[in-house]
Amino acid sequence: MRWQPARLDPTGDNGWALVHCQQGFLFDHRGVLFPRDWLKRLNLPLISEQGLGYFEGEPVFLFELAHQAEVPGASWQGLRQFMLQDEDVDRFRMLGFAAQIGTWVNQHRFCGRCGQPMRQHPSERAMQCSACGIHHYPRISPSMIVLVTRGDELLLARSPRFAPGVYSTLAGFVEPGESVEQCVIREVQEEVGVAIHTPHYICSQGWPFPHSLMLGFHAEYAGGDIVIQPEEIEDAGWFHIERLPALPAPKSIARYLIELYLARRSGAAEPMLPS
C-alpha cells in the first residue's frame, strides 16, 4: 500500500504537501503533491497545516486554505473530478483523507462551547480549546446506502444533484437513537414510499464528501408503489438488469452494490470491493 495515514509533526520544512480548500485540491502537470518548502515561500491564505502520513515512503502534509488562491502554473480541481478521472486508488485514498481532515480543521477553528480560538492538540489528532478544555476529533457521520431489488429489477433513483441521466441506489444519514438497519427501512420508505424486507449488510466505504462512512446494504422489495419524496428525489423507477440507465462512478460503493448483485444474479465473478 503506497498511502499510509500517520500523525506527523508539522515543524520543519521537509516533505511534500497537498493544498486543499472547499473540497478542491491544487494541482499542476506533476500532480497534486508540491514541495513543502516551496509552498511556504508563497503568500498563501493558510488556516492550518496538518501532518497527514506517508505516500510512497515520503512524508505528506496538508495546507488548508481560507480561499482558493492563485498559484502560477497550477489550477484547482474538485475531489469528485479526481475520483472520476484518477485510476490511482492509493492517491484517491490520500486525497479523501486529506479532504476530511481539512474540512474538520476548517470547521473547528473556534470553540462551539465558548467561542474561543481552537488549537491543535500536541499529542492527538484533535482540536483543543485552551479556554474551556473541550476536544474535537475528526468527524465521521454514519450513513447508509442500499440497493433494493425485485428479482431481475433494481430500484434506482436520481437526485437533482446527479450528473444528467445518472441513477443510483438510495442513501441517507443515520438519525440519533436509531440503528443503521432502522435507518435503511426509514429512508427507503421516506424517499420512494416502498417497504422492504430485512436489509443485509454488504460492505462499507469511507466517503469524503465531506465526512461520511457509508454502510452498504442489500434489501428485497416487500410491497408498495413508488411515491417519490420531491425535495430529495427527482425520479425513481424499477430497471431491468438488461436495461439499466447510466450508473454511478466505478469507485463508488453504489456502483459496487449494483455490480455485485448483477454478478450474483448471472453467476459471474464478483467485483472487487471499493477501496
Side-chain angles (χ1 to χ4, degrees), residues 6-10 50-51 104 119-128 135-138:
R7 187 180 175 277
L8 306 180
D9 184 356
Q50 301 283 321
W104 162 68
R119 63 177 180 84
Q120 294 183 48
H121 192 280
S123 59
E124 298 180 283
R125 196 178 294 282
M127 298 295 285
Q128 179 182 24
H135 288 58
H136 285 289
Y137 295 88

Side-chain angles (χ1 to χ4, degrees), residues 36 76 80 140 150 220 222 224 274:
R36 188 166 165 240
W76 289 88
R80 287 186 183 274
I140 300 296
R150 186 173 64 183
E220 290 288 346

Side-chain angles (χ1 to χ4, degrees), residues 7 18 22 36 44 58 60 66 99 106-107 148 174 181 187 209 244-245 255 266 274:
R7 187 180 175 277
L18 299 165
Q22 299 173 355
R36 188 166 165 240
L44 297 175
E58 295 292 328
V60 176
N106 196 2
Q107 293 177 350
V148 179
V174 180
E181 290 79 6
E187 286 283 356
F209 298 101
L244 294 177
R255 182 66 170 266
S266 67

